[in-house]
Amino acid sequence: MSGYIDDLSEEQEVAFLEMKKLALQFREEDEANGNTLTEVEEEIFNDETVYLRFLRARNFDVDRAMEMYLNSVKWRRGFQDNLGVEGITEESVENCLSTGESFFYGYDKLRRPIIYVRVKYHISGVMDPEEIERFLVWHMETARVILRPKTETCLVIYDMQDFGLSNMDYSLMKKEIELMQNYYPESQGTTLIINSPWVFKGCWMILKKWIDEKSQDKILFVDVEEIKNYVDEDVLIAEYGGNDPYEFNYIKKIDRVGENADYLPPWEMPWITDWKNENGEDEALNEINNNNNENQDEENPQEGEGEEKPQEGEGEEKPQEEKKSWWSMW
């Protein structure tokens, strides 16, 4: 079984229910210690796919998945000297947004949000490292918010046009990999790399060492024309051979007055919610389920990213243990 919400084995279902119970226990202990869940934390707590992400990342080992989940809660609250993930505002990343190096726009054929990354606009060492880190997390949080039902990943289009060594930021890539593996597990979808020049080959050999094999299988070097295998032409922007004339531009919030008062950044445009009015969304969800269960190259959920295989004897019945305090473990 795939380990997704509608495709769980009996053992996976038991682990899923056990983790939900432990998460509720932690919440009760957390509240007893004077903490109340924020609106976003409440939303995440009630999202069953979140528990399955952590379980898949730890091969359905409940204790290890729960430990990873608690670490993510702690990280979210303490991010950047207690600014917290929820403290990241658009204004706090607007310098990165202004470069146009990456942005959301549209959904692909599998109803995944599309992220365009144009590497030539990123110059290593120019931006404040803390803003870059906020920008990475802002992207992941935005993706979480705009995901459609039963869709857990995005399509990323990495455009390497005009790439040079000044654009290669190893610290940025390492941080992104670390964030995804530790705090946003099982969230990598398909990544298409286009216009890759020969100079990137050496960089890729270094990057591969930081990426587990499962994740590498989701990274594809393709021609621009092949993007249409993943994105409908009417959705794909014209810059990459599609029919949508949209061109990214960013206006800072403080400047959205006068003739700019009606400006909307792409992640606030109607495409974010238009799908709710589409006919046939149930059929679309069925298509997503089929792809989750059958397309192992893109969404292989069998093993956790970067995880070792289960040890011999794992899954065997264990003696009943004394109830743990998840708060004290944290």
Side-chain angles (χ1 to χ4, degrees), residues 203-218:
C203 302
W204 176 239
M205 295 306 294
I206 295 173
L207 293 174
K208 283 178 66 174
K209 297 176 182 178
W210 302 337
I211 305 172
D212 61 83
E213 290 186 9
K214 176 185 173 182
S215 297
Q216 287 182 37
D217 289 342
K218 299 176 183 179

Side-chain angles (χ1 to χ4, degrees), residues 4 27 64 129-130 174-175 228 234 259 278 288:
Y4 283 81
R27 175 178 179 169
R64 294 173 66 221
E130 288 198 348
K174 199 166 189 177
K175 174 61 69 174
K228 295 176 184 177
D234 289 340
E259 63 180 12
E278 293 176 0
I288 294 297

Side-chain angles (χ1 to χ4, degrees), residues 107-326:
Y107 291 98
D108 73 359
K109 292 181 179 181
L110 296 182
R111 275 66 179 178
R112 299 175 297 190
I114 303 169
I115 306 174
Y116 292 92
V117 181
R118 301 179 295 182
V119 180
K120 66 182 178 182
Y121 294 120
H122 177 82
I123 307 299
S124 178
V126 172
M127 287 290 178
D128 171 34
E130 288 198 348
E131 179 171 349
I132 291 175
E133 184 181 34
R134 289 194 298 273
F135 187 51
L136 289 173
V137 177
W138 178 87
H139 262 286
M140 295 175 189
E141 287 296 297
T142 301
R144 181 184 62 79
V145 171
I146 67 176
L147 286 173
R148 290 166 68 164
K150 298 189 179 181
T151 306
E152 299 185 19
T153 62
C154 298
L155 173 72
V156 183
I157 299 174
Y158 261 93
D159 183 2
M160 306 297 293
Q161 184 74 42
D162 299 326
F163 169 84
L165 293 180
S166 64
N167 307 121
M168 188 63 245
D169 194 332
Y170 289 108
S171 62
L172 169 64
M173 296 304 299
K174 199 166 189 177
K175 174 61 69 174
E176 183 175 1
I177 293 167
E178 173 190 311
L179 289 171
M180 291 187 67
Q181 291 185 340
N182 293 338
Y183 308 120
Y184 297 89
E186 294 289 313
S187 60
Q188 181 190 353
T190 305
T191 297
L192 305 178
I193 298 180
I194 60 173
N195 298 319
S196 178
W198 67 268
V199 71
F200 181 65
K201 291 181 180 179
C203 302
W204 176 239
M205 295 306 294
I206 295 173
L207 293 174
K208 283 178 66 174
K209 297 176 182 178
W210 302 337
I211 305 172
D212 61 83
E213 290 186 9
K214 176 185 173 182
S215 297
Q216 287 182 37
D217 289 342
K218 299 176 183 179
I219 300 172
L220 309 174
F221 288 79
V222 300
D223 295 328
V224 172
E225 189 65 24
E226 292 179 77
I227 298 175
K228 295 176 184 177
N229 295 333
Y230 301 85
V231 184
D232 287 326
E233 285 190 53
D234 289 340
V235 175
L236 183 64
I237 60 177
E239 183 177 353
Y240 299 106
N243 298 329
D244 193 312
Y246 175 75
E247 294 182 5
F248 179 80
N249 74 304
Y250 181 72
I251 299 175
K252 295 180 179 181
K253 278 194 169 184
I254 196 172
D255 296 324
R256 295 175 198 172
V257 294
E259 63 180 12
N260 295 325
D262 294 331
Y263 169 81
L264 288 175
W267 53 89
E268 293 180 8
M269 289 180 176
W271 64 267
I272 296 292
T273 54
D274 278 352
W275 61 268
K276 295 180 180 179
N277 300 319
E278 293 176 0
N279 294 324
E281 185 64 16
D282 288 341
E283 287 78 2
L285 292 180
N286 288 334
E287 182 181 346
I288 294 297
N289 289 334
N290 291 336
N291 279 285
N292 280 341
N293 298 341
E294 298 173 7
N295 192 338
Q296 297 302 308
D297 287 335
E298 289 188 357
E299 303 293 346
N300 185 348
Q302 294 301 321
E303 295 184 7
E305 294 182 12
E307 281 300 297
E308 69 276 6
K309 295 182 179 180
Q311 299 298 314
E312 186 176 351
E314 193 170 331
E316 295 177 357
E317 188 173 345
K318 300 177 181 178
Q320 195 154 12
E321 298 178 358
E322 184 178 338
K323 183 178 180 181
K324 297 178 180 178
S325 169
W326 291 101

Side-chain angles (χ1 to χ4, degrees), residues 70-88:
L70 292 181
N71 284 338
S72 76
V73 175
K74 184 176 182 179
W75 168 78
R76 291 181 66 87
R77 293 177 178 177
F79 177 74
Q80 287 197 350
D81 295 326
N82 297 319
L83 168 68
V85 168
E86 293 182 45
I88 301 173

